[in-house]
Amino acid sequence: EPPMRPERPRSTPPVRKLARDLGIDLVGLTGTGEGGLITRADVEAAASVTQAPVPEPT
Amino acid sequence: MSEQNFDIVILGGGSGGYAAALRAVQLGFTVGLVEKDRLGGTCLHRGCIPTKALLHAAEIADNSRESSKFGVRSVFEGIDIAAVTTYRERIVASKYKGLQGLVKAQGITVIEGEGRLVAPNAVQVGDDRIGGKNVILATGSYSRSLPGLEIGGRVITSEQALELDFVPGKVAVLGGGVIGVEFASVWKSFGADVTIIEALPHLVPNEEESVSKQLERAFRKRGIAYKLGVRFQGVTQHEDGVLLTLENGETVEAELLLVAVGRGPVTQGLGYEEAGITIDRGFVVTDERLATNVPGVYAVGDIVPGLQLAHRGFAQGIFVAEEIAGLNPIIVEDVNIPRVTYCEPEVASIGYTQARAAEKYGADQVSSYEYNLAGNGKSHILETSGSIKVVRVNDGPIVGVHMIGARVGELIGEAQLAVNWEAYPEDIAPFIHAHPTQNEALGEAFLKLAGKPLHVS
Amino acid sequence: MSEQNFDIVILGGGSGGYAAALRAVQLGFTVGLVEKDRLGGTCLHRGCIPTKALLHAAEIADNSRESSKFGVRSVFEGIDIAAVTTYRERIVASKYKGLQGLVKAQGITVIEGEGRLVAPNAVQVGDDRIGGKNVILATGSYSRSLPGLEIGGRVITSEQALELDFVPGKVAVLGGGVIGVEFASVWKSFGADVTIIEALPHLVPNEEESVSKQLERAFRKRGIAYKLGVRFQGVTQHEDGVLLTLENGETVEAELLLVAVGRGPVTQGLGYEEAGITIDRGFVVTDERLATNVPGVYAVGDIVPGLQLAHRGFAQGIFVAEEIAGLNPIIVEDVNIPRVTYCEPEVASIGYTQARAAEKYGADQVSSYEYNLAGNGKSHILETSGSIKVVRVNDGPIVGVHMIGARVGELIGEAQLAVNWEAYPEDIAPFIHAHPTQNEALGEAFLKLAGKPLHVS
Ligand SMILES: Cc1cc2nc3c(=O)[nH]c(=O)nc-3n(C[C@H](O)[C@H](O)[C@H](O)COP(=O)(O)OP(=O)(O)OC[C@H]3O[C@@H](n4cnc5c(N)ncnc54)[C@H](O)[C@@H]3O)c2cc1C
Ligand SMILES: Cc1cc2nc3c(=O)[nH]c(=O)nc-3n(C[C@H](O)[C@H](O)[C@H](O)COP(=O)(O)OP(=O)(O)OC[C@H]3O[C@@H](n4cnc5c(N)ncnc54)[C@H](O)[C@@H]3O)c2cc1C
């Protein structure tokens, strides 16, 4: 019986895939879903932070 | 009088009970499994497996009848019901043997006999008291009838229908749910005249309405008669048939009447109420983690209100074993359990119908798309018609998939991953479905809901 | 001489070309689609669709022959090849009509005639010059032969095999890949004696080795002969047959020889090299986003090295249209494209074989489990045998699924979601597969790899 793997951030495969496509590392995220599940909204929120427009250098 | 003690005692060795037993011993528990009849229960001996054998024989008969359409010269000469029985019994016997072997190999103690709950932690079987730190109730269900409609003679239930040693010339089926339409489909393929009587306005009334309507159309084309929205009033039996009267005054004559109006829970006289377990209309009430109100006592399968399906009972059995082991298993709600009706054409669904999704999320928050299998190459090759309807929340996940057509039952695997993982159609759109398959049609429906329909599979 | 200009010119109206055209007009581009023969290309007229019609007729024939096993009395009297042709042509004609209608309705300009690339932004068709800001090459493939093996007379390729107006008594098939085993399967079901000759050590040599071995066993049981690991040497034709000699000195006599040794790209004499496009062994070289080395020129479908499958060409067509539109579509690698071989039993796979996964991730980083369909109720009912093998990275995702058995092709839908989303078996383990289906077997394999096998479906 392999042990449960709490070290792997809990999410669903399509959300993990979305995170990968957006370049978001799930390890840093706090899940807001049931039982700490990382949701699509969590990933999208993280992505909007990382992709916040960078001011043009003047 | 003897006493045996186990970590877990399970009352009933059907899909729910034996799955719990298998998972429990795997997790290191000792298990006593009490069964009064045969391990495997309804599903193996009187349900899923033997009916699907009949349905496959029916498919073979239809193929043979229609073979010239495909360029095959074959003369259909009828059904050899004794040979059908041999085939059906061979399948069941082999699965039964496998199950017995597995249960034994895993070290589960099977206690033969009728059990009764005599305490929250004990089941009595004859003179023996079987103690368990935890008890799982899994006593299953029986074919119900209607008030005043007595089973016997030419008025039969699915148990007798399975074991008929002849093909009836004309048969009436009371109830257009899963079991009713499956038997209607088999009998028609075997050459019988069939009339279904359903009190609700549609066949398979729990399905998406458009699916019900398509099934009605397909049955009409197959020559299966049905009367919808009309209630049964009475039946009389005579020497060579039955005469049904309906509340609207119509009558139906047939050789046999199959009563398929649902299944009731087997919970009476088993000590459940005496042990303090809450029962509601015969069903055992549990919380969403399948615990009854009495600590240490769980219930699984058809006695728990909700979908009466073998794989649900099975999964509940596994769930409870893991729950007792403290593994905190994930709940799979009934709505996320796949449902397949194996008549011809098949019906398969998961998640919410459009109407239920609209109730839950708001009508303007939900979109759907119904892809007609006429556009699907493989379905065309199979000469089947039907559709695949996908329901999504706008800018949100896929919450329902509803299918009808030959062989669509197997497509539910993909649909259930999408719904259970709350995928968006956009998540699936980049994937490529194999050509020419029927699951391409599912792909097309997802593509359409993701805003990129192409309609050319 | 006239000149027409479009946003996009597409050379070739097969799966790759027409998919690109449909998606491109949807995205607002004007499209000129050049086709010298019939829209739909190989797949619709000479490939996927007509072969699958034959395979379905073959299934009907097998069912009829074996009907007594299921209790159905039916006498198989042979194949009416004219009726098979009518059926096959009816399917193709109807899909062809649908495609023509769709292409027209979407406002795609179809230019009939043989095109030649005359500049990076222009295709010449007879006297007309068709200009396009972007050009997509989609000229497809043809049946290859071996050096010194001339097609003609009794030595045929799949094109002629499809259109035979008789069932050969004895036929030899050179090549045990997808096309070879599909025709072998059809002919055997139609009553022919069949011998396959394959130079590699296995039938369907690109599949998981255990699957190849099971296909060989199944074919042996069906009476399909094969010679593996032996190379073709020569063939002579005489009045009523062919005589093959093999490098090991054996000979095979047959009425016909089907040459099914692969398909070569149609790229010669079309101006590709003159326009500066890099060609490698006849294939158009592209980057992973399907751009050739010449800016503005893309290639899709069978002319691009890799899997030669209709749905890949189709998806590549969509991809390129979206790429030109700047939508930055997601690449789906060849390894993540589902592969189905529609012989009896069917073979279906996605992702890495165990051997390739071991190469990629390290042999000790990969586990697999092969579930035998003998344990699967529905497969038992279908009287099929086979297996489902799932390959995972340890503590990691499912990277391959390999299946064999009647009707397993449709199970690839679920498998492909798992592999494409890089699901872990543990992600699927809590879900409940419908009983009794074949996709339960997939569920069992996932359960086992997640550490919770139950083996009772
Ligand atoms: C005709 C028909 C077709 C069906 N087809 C399908 C299908 O295709 N797919 C599907 O998912 N479901 C199908 N079902 C439903 C499925 O059979 C049930 O959902 C499933 O069997 C429920 O499992 P269970 O363990 O709750 O109960 P059961 O399978 O009914 O098992 C209960 C067991 O408990 C035993 N028992 C009862 N009382 C006692 C006692 N006091 N002491 C000892 N033993 C006791 C019984 O003998 C029985 O073996 C079908 C049902 C029918 C009738
Ligand atoms: C017997 C057989 C069975 C198959 N079964 C399957 C299957 O079940 N599933 C599957 O996925 N794949 C199957 N395939 C493979 C599939 O048919 C191909 O992968 C697919 O057709 C490739 O699409 P394409 O657009 O690249 O090329 P094609 O379909 O070959 O289309 C190319 C088009 O370009 C046109 N053309 C070529 N040159 C010119 C020119 N100079 N000017 C104008 N027009 C031109 C041709 O007339 C043709 O219409 C099968 C193939 C064969 C032969």
Side-chain angles (χ1 to χ4, degrees):
Chain A
E1 183 68 15
M4 304 299 263
R5 289 184 200 81
E7 69 275 11
R8 186 164 69 99
R10 282 192 54 233
S11 192
T12 61
V15 169
R16 286 203 308 264
K17 176 94 166 73
L18 176 74
R20 253 192 326 278
D21 292 344
L22 296 174
I24 301 297
D25 187 356
L26 291 187
V27 174
L29 299 192
T30 319
T32 60
E34 204 186 304
L37 191 81
I38 297 169
T39 64
R40 185 180 303 264
D42 297 333
V43 169
E44 281 167 350
S48 68
V49 171
T50 37
Q51 288 172 357
V54 181
E56 290 282 313
T58 45
Chain B
M1 146 132 199
S2 80
E3 181 160 339
Q4 278 184 281
N5 285 293
F6 298 94
D7 294 326
I8 303 178
V9 172
I10 302 171
L11 187 55
S15 311
Y18 77 72
L22 286 168
R23 185 74 180 124
V25 291
Q26 218 174 52
L27 293 170
F29 294 113
T30 60
V31 173
L33 178 61
V34 182
E35 171 58 56
K36 68 174 180 184
D37 186 4
R38 276 166 297 169
L39 278 184
T42 304
C43 176
L44 176 54
H45 300 286
R46 300 173 296 278
C48 329
I49 296 293
T51 51
K52 268 78 254 183
L54 292 188
L55 282 152
H56 187 58
E59 180 185 333
I60 299 285
D62 289 340
N63 280 348
S64 168
R65 242 191 231 100
E66 292 163 20
S67 59
S68 68
K69 243 185 1 199
F70 304 99
V72 175
R73 294 192 299 115
S74 147
V75 183
F76 174 71
E77 297 187 335
I79 298 298
D80 175 351
I81 198 81
V84 172
T85 301
T86 305
Y87 159 62
R88 171 173 60 74
E89 288 180 342
R90 181 163 40 81
I91 307 282
V92 172
S94 132
K95 303 245 60 137
Y96 182 38
K97 203 172 144 199
L99 179 62
Q100 287 174 301
L102 183 65
V103 162
K104 191 163 174 197
Q106 299 292 307
I108 296 164
T109 305
V110 177
I111 297 132
E112 290 177 17
E114 180 150 2
R116 206 186 127 81
L117 192 69
V118 289
N121 60 0
V123 167
Q124 185 82 25
V125 183
D127 285 345
D128 302 331
R129 187 181 170 95
I130 321 293
K133 287 172 215 145
N134 287 280
V135 173
I136 304 174
L137 307 177
T139 40
S141 61
Y142 67 95
S143 298
R144 270 206 335 242
S145 187
L146 296 179
L149 176 56
E150 211 178 309
I151 305 301
R154 296 180 172 278
V155 177
I156 64 177
T157 68
S158 59
E159 282 87 63
Q160 293 87 48
L162 267 171
E163 309 211 321
L164 284 188
D165 57 3
F166 63 98
V167 177
K170 189 167 185 343
V171 61
V173 176
L174 191 60
V178 177
I179 295 177
V181 298
E182 287 189 355
F183 274 102
S185 187
V186 167
W187 276 323
K188 182 70 200 179
S189 300
F190 282 6
D193 270 352
V194 183
T195 303
I196 305 171
I197 295 109
E198 167 60 51
L200 291 171
H202 286 298
L203 295 180
V204 290
N206 295 326
E207 299 291 341
E208 181 70 29
E209 193 174 12
S210 71
V211 166
S212 292
K213 285 183 179 162
Q214 287 175 82
L215 183 64
E216 289 155 19
R217 206 173 313 136
F219 270 21
R220 192 177 320 124
K221 265 182 81 172
R222 291 187 60 194
I224 299 174
Y226 46 82
K227 297 174 185 292
L228 304 177
V230 46
R231 300 172 74 87
F232 166 83
Q233 188 168 57
V235 63
T236 55
Q237 298 197 33
H238 51 90
E239 189 140 327
D240 35 47
V242 295
L243 179 68
L244 259 83
T245 50
L246 306 179
E247 281 191 359
N248 67 359
E250 286 185 72
T251 59
V252 178
E253 280 195 275
E255 278 173 42
L256 291 173
L257 171 64
L258 170 66
V259 179
V261 294
R263 295 181 59 83
V266 174
T267 54
Q268 275 203 331
L270 300 179
Y272 294 179
E273 277 161 307
E274 294 85 335
I277 292 166
T278 307
I279 302 284
D280 180 25
R281 275 162 283 193
F283 288 96
V284 176
V285 176
T286 70
D287 65 14
E288 57 168 19
R289 303 196 72 81
L290 302 170
T292 70
N293 60 313
V294 174
V297 180
Y298 297 83
V300 299
D302 283 5
I303 58 174
V304 179
L307 287 177
Q308 292 176 317
L309 289 173
H311 45 287
R312 170 180 175 266
F314 197 78
Q316 289 183 337
I318 295 173
F319 179 97
V320 168
E322 295 184 350
E323 180 79 356
I324 293 173
L327 295 183
N328 196 28
I330 297 169
I331 297 169
V332 176
E333 291 174 72
D334 265 19
V335 65
N336 284 341
I337 293 175
R339 307 169 289 263
V340 180
T341 304
Y342 300 81
C343 54
E344 169 52 38
E346 287 187 352
V347 171
S349 63
I350 180 140
Y352 294 109
T353 58
Q354 170 127 34
R356 285 191 56 201
E359 269 168 39
K360 188 172 158 103
Y361 302 100
D364 54 346
Q365 295 304 309
V366 169
S367 336
S368 71
Y369 178 68
E370 184 156 2
Y371 182 83
N372 191 317
L373 290 184
N376 175 258
K378 183 62 193 279
S379 298
H380 200 156
I381 287 169
L382 297 176
E383 300 269 2
T384 192
S385 52
S387 70
I388 294 183
K389 180 167 182 171
V390 178
V391 183
R392 80 171 297 179
V393 176
N394 297 337
D395 296 320
I398 298 159
V399 295
V401 177
H402 307 276
M403 312 191 271
I404 179 167
R407 304 191 188 181
V408 298
E410 295 292 348
L411 308 186
I412 203 68
E414 176 172 358
Q416 86 182 89
L417 289 195
V419 170
N420 277 299
W421 282 333
E422 299 176 21
Y424 286 31
E426 292 78 5
D427 295 327
I428 306 182
F431 303 156
I432 306 170
H433 286 75
H435 183 72
T437 58
Q438 289 184 292
N439 59 60
E440 271 182 299
L442 199 48
E444 286 278 347
F446 292 139
L447 275 173
K448 166 75 187 190
L449 281 176
K452 332 196 225 175
L454 280 155
H455 304 303
V456 272
S457 61
Chain C
M1 144 132 200
S2 80
E3 182 162 338
Q4 277 184 281
N5 285 293
F6 298 95
D7 293 326
I8 303 177
V9 172
I10 301 172
L11 186 56
S15 312
Y18 77 70
L22 287 167
R23 185 73 182 125
V25 290
Q26 218 174 53
L27 294 170
F29 294 112
T30 59
V31 174
L33 178 60
V34 182
E35 170 58 53
K36 67 174 181 185
D37 186 5
R38 277 165 296 170
L39 277 184
T42 304
C43 176
L44 176 53
H45 300 284
R46 298 173 298 278
C48 328
I49 296 294
T51 52
K52 269 76 254 185
L54 292 187
L55 281 153
H56 187 58
E59 180 186 333
I60 299 285
D62 289 339
N63 281 348
S64 169
R65 243 190 230 102
E66 291 162 19
S67 58
S68 68
K69 236 175 22 188
F70 304 99
V72 175
R73 292 193 302 115
S74 146
V75 183
F76 174 71
E77 297 188 334
I79 298 299
D80 176 351
I81 198 80
V84 172
T85 301
T86 305
Y87 158 62
R88 171 173 61 73
E89 288 180 344
R90 179 162 41 79
I91 307 281
V92 171
S94 133
K95 303 246 61 144
Y96 182 38
K97 200 172 147 201
L99 179 62
Q100 287 174 300
L102 183 65
V103 162
K104 190 165 175 190
Q106 299 292 308
I108 295 164
T109 306
V110 177
I111 297 132
E112 290 177 17
E114 182 151 358
R116 205 186 127 83
L117 192 68
V118 289
N121 60 359
V123 166
Q124 185 81 25
V125 182
D127 285 343
D128 302 331
R129 188 182 169 97
I130 321 294
K133 287 173 215 145
N134 287 280
V135 173
I136 304 175
L137 309 176
T139 39
S141 62
Y142 67 95
S143 297
R144 270 210 330 247
S145 186
L146 296 179
L149 176 56
E150 212 177 309
I151 306 300
R154 295 179 173 277
V155 177
I156 64 176
T157 68
S158 60
E159 282 85 65
Q160 294 87 48
L162 267 172
E163 309 211 321
L164 284 188
D165 57 3
F166 62 99
V167 178
K170 189 166 185 345
V171 61
V173 176
L174 191 60
V178 177
I179 295 178
V181 298
E182 288 189 356
F183 274 101
S185 187
V186 167
W187 276 324
K188 181 70 201 180
S189 299
F190 281 6
D193 270 352
V194 182
T195 304
I196 305 172
I197 295 110
E198 168 58 53
L200 291 170
H202 285 297
L203 295 180
V204 289
N206 295 327
E207 298 291 340
E208 181 70 29
E209 192 175 11
S210 72
V211 166
S212 291
K213 285 184 180 162
Q214 287 174 82
L215 183 63
E216 289 155 19
R217 207 174 310 137
F219 270 21
R220 194 177 319 127
K221 267 183 80 173
R222 292 187 59 195
I224 298 175
Y226 46 83
K227 297 174 186 294
L228 304 176
V230 46
R231 302 172 74 90
F232 166 83
Q233 190 169 54
V235 64
T236 55
Q237 299 197 30
H238 51 91
E239 189 141 327
D240 34 49
V242 295
L243 179 69
L244 258 84
T245 49
L246 306 179
E247 281 192 358
N248 67 0
E250 284 185 72
T251 59
V252 178
E253 281 194 273
E255 277 173 44
L256 290 174
L257 172 64
L258 169 66
V259 178
V261 294
R263 295 181 61 82
V266 174
T267 53
Q268 276 203 331
L270 300 179
Y272 294 180
E273 277 160 308
E274 294 85 335
I277 292 166
T278 307
I279 302 284
D280 179 24
R281 274 161 285 194
F283 289 95
V284 176
V285 177
T286 71
D287 65 15
E288 58 170 16
R289 302 195 74 80
L290 300 171
T292 69
N293 60 311
V294 174
V297 181
Y298 297 83
V300 301
D302 282 6
I303 57 172
V304 180
L307 286 176
Q308 292 176 318
L309 289 172
H311 44 288
R312 170 180 174 265
F314 196 79
Q316 289 183 337
I318 296 173
F319 179 96
V320 167
E322 295 184 353
E323 180 78 357
I324 294 172
L327 295 184
N328 197 27
I330 296 171
I331 297 168
V332 176
E333 292 175 70
D334 265 18
V335 65
N336 283 342
I337 293 175
R339 306 170 290 262
V340 180
T341 304
Y342 300 81
C343 54
E344 168 51 38
E346 287 187 352
V347 171
S349 63
I350 180 142
Y352 294 110
T353 59
Q354 170 126 33
R356 284 191 55 200
E359 270 168 38
K360 189 174 158 100
Y361 301 100
D364 55 345
Q365 296 305 308
V366 168
S367 335
S368 72
Y369 179 66
E370 184 155 1
Y371 183 84
N372 191 317
L373 291 184
N376 175 257
K378 183 63 192 280
S379 298
H380 200 156
I381 287 169
L382 297 175
E383 300 269 1
T384 192
S385 53
S387 70
I388 294 183
K389 180 168 182 171
V390 178
V391 182
R392 81 172 295 181
V393 175
N394 297 336
D395 294 324
I398 299 159
V399 294
V401 177
H402 307 277
M403 312 191 272
I404 179 166
R407 302 189 188 183
V408 299
E410 295 292 347
L411 307 186
I412 203 69
E414 176 173 356
Q416 85 181 90
L417 289 196
V419 169
N420 278 302
W421 280 332
E422 300 178 24
Y424 287 35
E426 291 78 6
D427 293 321
I428 305 182
F431 302 155
I432 307 172
H433 286 75
H435 182 71
T437 57
Q438 290 183 292
N439 61 60
E440 272 182 299
L442 199 48
E444 286 277 347
F446 292 139
L447 274 174
K448 166 72 187 192
L449 281 176
K452 333 197 229 172
L454 280 156
H455 304 303
V456 272
S457 61

